[in-house]
Amino acid sequence: MANEPLTPEPKSLNFIEEIMEGDQQQDKHQGRVLTRFPPEPNGYLHIGHAKSICINFGLAKKYGGATNLRFDDTNPTKEDVEYVDSIREDVKWLGFDWAGEFYASDYFQKLYDFAEYLIQQGKAFVCDLTEEEAKDYKGNFFKPGKESPYRNRSVAENLDLFRRMKAGEFADGEKTLRAKIDVQSPNMNMRDPVMYRIRRAHHHRTGDAWIIYPMYDFAHGVSDAIETITHSICTLEFEDHRPLYDWFLAQDVEGQFFQRPLPRQIEFARLNLTYTVMSKRRLLALVQEGHVSGWDDPRMPTICGLRRRGYTPESVRAFAERVGVAKRDMVADVGLLEHCIREDLEAKAPRRMAVLRPLKVVLTNMSDSDAFDVELPNHGDKPELGSRKVRFTRELWVDQDDFREDMPKKWFRLAPDAEVRLRGAALIRCNEIVKDASGNVTELRCTWDPESKGGNAPDGRKVKGTLHWVSAQHAVDAEVRLYEQLFTAEDPMDVAEGGDWRDFINPHSLEIVKAKVEPSLAKAQPSERFQFERTGYFAVDPASSADAPVFNRTVGLKDSWAKIETKA
Ligand code: ATP
Ligand code: MG
């Protein structure tokens, strides 16, 4: 038809892309785009950080630019090299390469020089108020601030005191350096904010060289300007800090430390996820209090946790793309994250048979010499993924869930007198149930139809159920870890209502079963992923070995999200 578009409509731009394209059209940075990802090395990265990484690296790539990795290490008490290493590994794993690797601590001397310059301009002063007093002087949203009694010290006195702060002549907390801006400002961040505090703490890079440390708001913009960042993307809670960010940089331009155009701060909404907590502080508590086995516990929303759970970098990037870039805080449904990994693994994970809760089946009319090989495709729709042989024998394992003694309506699996297909092998009929002293079913005695080799009977009779199975003689024992959500509430912080969010930790978030799996799975290498037929997607745990294979359930097969999405 005439009004049908010839090319698909371009995807609409998000608001950050609009800003970037606007800047490029105006040639603001000579077309340059340089972003940075600025983690504080005080914990492992989580899925929220992954979102930020995808935005920063993704946008830079889209506009022909680059991204720096900058460790925001201005708070020595909580930071550690362990975290630096994990952050580098996680960013790489997500599939991104950084242009430069920097540390805010590399800029300590430059920041100090800027601070002295501000003192000389009468725009910073040394303040003796205690933290408590300073808070009171600052006022609040309803109450204007009062000027510090130390605000009008002379430049010479301020310089002298600041140098002596640096030299270690004062105790921690005794003095601060503050910017002289406006204590009446409706924006609390502009009420003479602290630039430096005294803190005798060993820094993981600068050691004991410094005992005064710059505050985030001062250090961040200057670090951006030093690296000639064009777009400084951060989360929404920094929106009210933007005037301060711009104020520091404007002073630096006056002092000719930098030239325009300056970096521009842009805020987007933090990502939250249902059924988990996200802040590093709470994740650290989960680790330290032993609720999980570590930062990389497969139930954690950390990048290393997701990796161990079996998530692929592609699935995490697809998730970040689908949640989009918003200006208002949001909570993404963990179902969407699960949908993304399912979609990825559905296409590429080889299929295997694994019996999670084994129940013995003995084929009474089969002799050992009747055993035969069954050739099974590794992926029903992808012949290029090849096939493998599994041995069909007299004694087998099937899943306990596939048998019912009292058969409910519409039950197409095993039951007394019922006939089912064992995938790719043959039809079998259950004749007899063996029980132990306490009445538990321990074995099914069945017969197979030798005519049905391959799975279909020549007389054309139909069976509705097809079960997975493994040969008892050939199966390998494996530990399989079945994970559920770590919390029982969609938003643990919200339902806790100021009480303890730990009350909503799910006591059943991990079940370990002793499974019987296809022999080929013994050779599976850590990080390999499979679909266990009819069961779910599973990844080989890093601690797995051929002698003691361990599999982590990434996600089950049932996708409730896909349904929601097609309905919407
Ligand atoms: P947390 O509150 O979890 O400790 P943070 O903001 O202190 O996070 P940083 O290491 O300072 O962690 O964050 C590095 C970058 O990642 C920052 O630009 C920050 O805004 C961004 N970021 C952190 N958490 C999220 C999130 N939930 N969603 C999107 N971006 C995030
Ligand atoms: Mg932070």
Side-chain angles (χ1 to χ4, degrees), residues 37-40 46 48-49 52 233 235 268 270-271 278-280:
F37 173 63
E40 186 180 349
H46 52 58
H49 293 113
S52 174
I233 301 165
T235 39
F268 74 99
R270 221 166 233 281
L271 170 79
M278 199 86 102
S279 88
K280 278 184 271 190

Side-chain angles (χ1 to χ4, degrees), residues 419-440:
E419 186 171 52
V420 297
R421 177 183 298 108
L422 293 185
R423 171 118 165 82
L427 303 181
I428 66 163
R429 179 180 295 277
C430 174
N431 305 310
E432 195 187 326
I433 302 165
V434 182
K435 294 183 180 177
D436 65 12
S438 25
N440 301 311

Side-chain angles (χ1 to χ4, degrees), residues 151-166:
R151 197 176 199 260
N152 296 314
R153 279 177 161 153
S154 69
V155 167
E157 189 184 1
N158 278 323
L159 260 187
D160 175 57
L161 288 173
F162 187 49
R163 286 175 185 167
R164 286 164 58 196
M165 277 168 67
K166 177 175 184 265

